[in-house]
PDB file of all heavy atoms in Angstrom:
ATOM      1  N   ALA A 244       2.470  16.269   2.351  1.00 94.00           N
ATOM      2  CA  ALA A 244       3.181  15.454   1.385  1.00 94.00           C
ATOM      3  C   ALA A 244       2.490  14.104   1.175  1.00 94.00           C
ATOM      4  O   ALA A 244       2.649  13.452   0.132  1.00 94.00           O
ATOM      5  CB  ALA A 244       4.613  15.270   1.788  1.00 94.00           C
ATOM      6  N   HIS A 245       1.778  13.626   2.165  1.00 96.00           N
ATOM      7  CA  HIS A 245       1.092  12.319   2.074  1.00 96.00           C
ATOM      8  C   HIS A 245       0.005  12.310   1.041  1.00 96.00           C
ATOM      9  O   HIS A 245      -0.426  11.211   0.606  1.00 96.00           O
ATOM     10  CB  HIS A 245       0.542  11.922   3.441  1.00 96.00           C
ATOM     11  CG  HIS A 245      -0.520  12.836   3.954  1.00 96.00           C
ATOM     12  ND1 HIS A 245      -0.252  14.074   4.468  1.00 96.00           N
ATOM     13  CD2 HIS A 245      -1.852  12.739   3.993  1.00 96.00           C
ATOM     14  CE1 HIS A 245      -1.384  14.674   4.817  1.00 96.00           C
ATOM     15  NE2 HIS A 245      -2.397  13.853   4.550  1.00 96.00           N
ATOM     16  N   GLU A 246      -0.496  13.502   0.654  1.00 96.00           N
ATOM     17  CA  GLU A 246      -1.575  13.547  -0.331  1.00 96.00           C
ATOM     18  C   GLU A 246      -1.170  12.904  -1.667  1.00 96.00           C
ATOM     19  O   GLU A 246      -1.990  12.219  -2.293  1.00 96.00           O
ATOM     20  CB  GLU A 246      -2.048  14.984  -0.568  1.00 96.00           C
ATOM     21  CG  GLU A 246      -2.499  15.731   0.691  1.00 96.00           C
ATOM     22  CD  GLU A 246      -3.863  15.312   1.156  1.00 96.00           C
ATOM     23  OE1 GLU A 246      -4.456  14.422   0.503  1.00 96.00           O
ATOM     24  OE2 GLU A 246      -4.321  15.818   2.162  1.00 96.00           O
ATOM     25  N   VAL A 247       0.072  13.100  -2.084  1.00 96.00           N
ATOM     26  CA  VAL A 247       0.534  12.530  -3.353  1.00 96.00           C
ATOM     27  C   VAL A 247       0.590  11.017  -3.160  1.00 96.00           C
ATOM     28  O   VAL A 247       0.215  10.241  -4.107  1.00 96.00           O
ATOM     29  CB  VAL A 247       1.951  13.048  -3.662  1.00 96.00           C
ATOM     30  CG1 VAL A 247       2.573  12.287  -4.827  1.00 96.00           C
ATOM     31  CG2 VAL A 247       1.852  14.575  -4.045  1.00 96.00           C
ATOM     32  N   THR A 248       1.018  10.505  -2.029  1.00 96.00           N
ATOM     33  CA  THR A 248       1.125   9.054  -1.791  1.00 96.00           C
ATOM     34  C   THR A 248      -0.270   8.381  -1.910  1.00 96.00           C
ATOM     35  O   THR A 248      -0.380   7.365  -2.518  1.00 96.00           O
ATOM     36  CB  THR A 248       1.705   8.750  -0.419  1.00 96.00           C
ATOM     37  OG1 THR A 248       3.012   9.391  -0.336  1.00 96.00           O
ATOM     38  CG2 THR A 248       1.825   7.303  -0.170  1.00 96.00           C
ATOM     39  N   LEU A 249      -1.265   9.040  -1.326  1.00 97.00           N
ATOM     40  CA  LEU A 249      -2.620   8.486  -1.394  1.00 97.00           C
ATOM     41  C   LEU A 249      -3.111   8.462  -2.866  1.00 97.00           C
ATOM     42  O   LEU A 249      -3.745   7.468  -3.280  1.00 97.00           O
ATOM     43  CB  LEU A 249      -3.557   9.356  -0.543  1.00 97.00           C
ATOM     44  CG  LEU A 249      -3.339   9.278   0.954  1.00 97.00           C
ATOM     45  CD1 LEU A 249      -4.272  10.294   1.650  1.00 97.00           C
ATOM     46  CD2 LEU A 249      -3.628   7.881   1.495  1.00 97.00           C
ATOM     47  N   GLN A 250      -2.804   9.511  -3.648  1.00 96.00           N
ATOM     48  CA  GLN A 250      -3.208   9.537  -5.008  1.00 96.00           C
ATOM     49  C   GLN A 250      -2.512   8.465  -5.859  1.00 96.00           C
ATOM     50  O   GLN A 250      -3.027   7.874  -6.757  1.00 96.00           O
ATOM     51  CB  GLN A 250      -2.991  10.931  -5.632  1.00 96.00           C
ATOM     52  CG  GLN A 250      -3.885  12.004  -4.991  1.00 96.00           C
ATOM     53  CD  GLN A 250      -5.335  11.681  -5.080  1.00 96.00           C
ATOM     54  OE1 GLN A 250      -5.837  11.195  -6.114  1.00 96.00           O
ATOM     55  NE2 GLN A 250      -6.078  11.903  -4.025  1.00 96.00           N
ATOM     56  N   GLU A 251      -1.202   8.215  -5.540  1.00 96.00           N
ATOM     57  CA  GLU A 251      -0.443   7.236  -6.198  1.00 96.00           C
ATOM     58  C   GLU A 251      -1.075   5.843  -5.991  1.00 96.00           C
ATOM     59  O   GLU A 251      -1.184   4.993  -6.906  1.00 96.00           O
ATOM     60  CB  GLU A 251       1.020   7.204  -5.745  1.00 96.00           C
ATOM     61  CG  GLU A 251       1.784   8.474  -6.218  1.00 96.00           C
ATOM     62  CD  GLU A 251       3.203   8.445  -5.624  1.00 96.00           C
ATOM     63  OE1 GLU A 251       3.406   7.928  -4.512  1.00 96.00           O
ATOM     64  OE2 GLU A 251       4.072   9.058  -6.298  1.00 96.00           O
ATOM     65  N   TYR A 252      -1.465   5.583  -4.727  1.00 96.00           N
ATOM     66  CA  TYR A 252      -2.069   4.287  -4.392  1.00 96.00           C
ATOM     67  C   TYR A 252      -3.418   4.132  -5.190  1.00 96.00           C
ATOM     68  O   TYR A 252      -3.682   3.076  -5.747  1.00 96.00           O
ATOM     69  CB  TYR A 252      -2.305   4.178  -2.904  1.00 96.00           C
ATOM     70  CG  TYR A 252      -2.975   2.881  -2.495  1.00 96.00           C
ATOM     71  CD1 TYR A 252      -2.212   1.760  -2.231  1.00 96.00           C
ATOM     72  CD2 TYR A 252      -4.387   2.775  -2.411  1.00 96.00           C
ATOM     73  CE1 TYR A 252      -2.845   0.547  -1.869  1.00 96.00           C
ATOM     74  CE2 TYR A 252      -5.008   1.598  -2.075  1.00 96.00           C
ATOM     75  CZ  TYR A 252      -4.211   0.476  -1.826  1.00 96.00           C
ATOM     76  OH  TYR A 252      -4.840  -0.726  -1.476  1.00 96.00           O
ATOM     77  N   ALA A 253      -4.202   5.191  -5.168  1.00 95.00           N
ATOM     78  CA  ALA A 253      -5.505   5.094  -5.845  1.00 95.00           C
ATOM     79  C   ALA A 253      -5.338   4.898  -7.353  1.00 95.00           C
ATOM     80  O   ALA A 253      -6.100   4.137  -7.965  1.00 95.00           O
ATOM     81  CB  ALA A 253      -6.308   6.429  -5.598  1.00 95.00           C
ATOM     82  N   LEU A 254      -4.326   5.477  -7.923  1.00 94.00           N
ATOM     83  CA  LEU A 254      -4.056   5.313  -9.340  1.00 94.00           C
ATOM     84  C   LEU A 254      -3.665   3.882  -9.689  1.00 94.00           C
ATOM     85  O   LEU A 254      -4.189   3.303 -10.649  1.00 94.00           O
ATOM     86  CB  LEU A 254      -2.913   6.244  -9.784  1.00 94.00           C
ATOM     87  CG  LEU A 254      -2.402   6.130 -11.203  1.00 94.00           C
ATOM     88  CD1 LEU A 254      -3.457   6.684 -12.187  1.00 94.00           C
ATOM     89  CD2 LEU A 254      -1.118   6.918 -11.367  1.00 94.00           C
ATOM     90  N   LEU A 255      -2.853   3.254  -8.866  1.00 94.00           N
ATOM     91  CA  LEU A 255      -2.344   1.916  -9.147  1.00 94.00           C
ATOM     92  C   LEU A 255      -3.353   0.807  -8.703  1.00 94.00           C
ATOM     93  O   LEU A 255      -3.536  -0.165  -9.441  1.00 94.00           O
ATOM     94  CB  LEU A 255      -1.012   1.704  -8.433  1.00 94.00           C
ATOM     95  CG  LEU A 255       0.231   1.952  -9.257  1.00 94.00           C
ATOM     96  CD1 LEU A 255       0.286   3.413  -9.738  1.00 94.00           C
ATOM     97  CD2 LEU A 255       1.475   1.592  -8.436  1.00 94.00           C
ATOM     98  N   PHE A 256      -3.972   1.016  -7.560  1.00 94.00           N
ATOM     99  CA  PHE A 256      -4.726  -0.134  -6.957  1.00 94.00           C
ATOM    100  C   PHE A 256      -6.172   0.198  -6.711  1.00 94.00           C
ATOM    101  O   PHE A 256      -6.867  -0.692  -6.175  1.00 94.00           O
ATOM    102  CB  PHE A 256      -4.037  -0.539  -5.647  1.00 94.00           C
ATOM    103  CG  PHE A 256      -2.584  -0.925  -5.846  1.00 94.00           C
ATOM    104  CD1 PHE A 256      -1.590  -0.119  -5.287  1.00 94.00           C
ATOM    105  CD2 PHE A 256      -2.242  -2.029  -6.556  1.00 94.00           C
ATOM    106  CE1 PHE A 256      -0.246  -0.423  -5.464  1.00 94.00           C
ATOM    107  CE2 PHE A 256      -0.889  -2.374  -6.777  1.00 94.00           C
ATOM    108  CZ  PHE A 256       0.099  -1.560  -6.213  1.00 94.00           C
ATOM    109  N   GLY A 257      -6.672   1.394  -6.984  1.00 92.00           N
ATOM    110  CA  GLY A 257      -8.057   1.720  -6.745  1.00 92.00           C
ATOM    111  C   GLY A 257      -8.267   2.573  -5.519  1.00 92.00           C
ATOM    112  O   GLY A 257      -7.372   2.737  -4.697  1.00 92.00           O
ATOM    113  N   ARG A 258      -9.417   3.107  -5.410  1.00 93.00           N
ATOM    114  CA  ARG A 258      -9.743   4.092  -4.354  1.00 93.00           C
ATOM    115  C   ARG A 258      -9.915   3.512  -2.938  1.00 93.00           C
ATOM    116  O   ARG A 258      -9.702   4.118  -1.967  1.00 93.00           O
ATOM    117  CB  ARG A 258     -10.985   4.880  -4.707  1.00 93.00           C
ATOM    118  CG  ARG A 258     -10.827   5.729  -5.958  1.00 93.00           C
ATOM    119  CD  ARG A 258     -12.192   6.364  -6.356  1.00 93.00           C
ATOM    120  NE  ARG A 258     -12.765   7.141  -5.226  1.00 93.00           N
ATOM    121  CZ  ARG A 258     -13.958   7.619  -5.218  1.00 93.00           C
ATOM    122  NH1 ARG A 258     -14.783   7.349  -6.230  1.00 93.00           N
ATOM    123  NH2 ARG A 258     -14.364   8.365  -4.217  1.00 93.00           N
ATOM    124  N   ASP A 259     -10.330   2.204  -2.876  1.00 94.00           N
ATOM    125  CA  ASP A 259     -10.549   1.551  -1.597  1.00 94.00           C
ATOM    126  C   ASP A 259      -9.252   1.276  -0.885  1.00 94.00           C
ATOM    127  O   ASP A 259      -8.316   0.664  -1.461  1.00 94.00           O
ATOM    128  CB  ASP A 259     -11.343   0.281  -1.791  1.00 94.00           C
ATOM    129  CG  ASP A 259     -12.769   0.508  -2.282  1.00 94.00           C
ATOM    130  OD1 ASP A 259     -13.281   1.617  -1.944  1.00 94.00           O
ATOM    131  OD2 ASP A 259     -13.324  -0.326  -2.971  1.00 94.00           O
TER     132      ASP A 259
END
Side-chain angles (χ1 to χ4, degrees):
H245 63 285
E246 302 286 359
V247 171
T248 302
L249 293 173
Q250 294 305 317
E251 290 175 333
Y252 179 88
L254 175 70
L255 267 59
F256 304 112
R258 296 173 58 191
D259 292 332

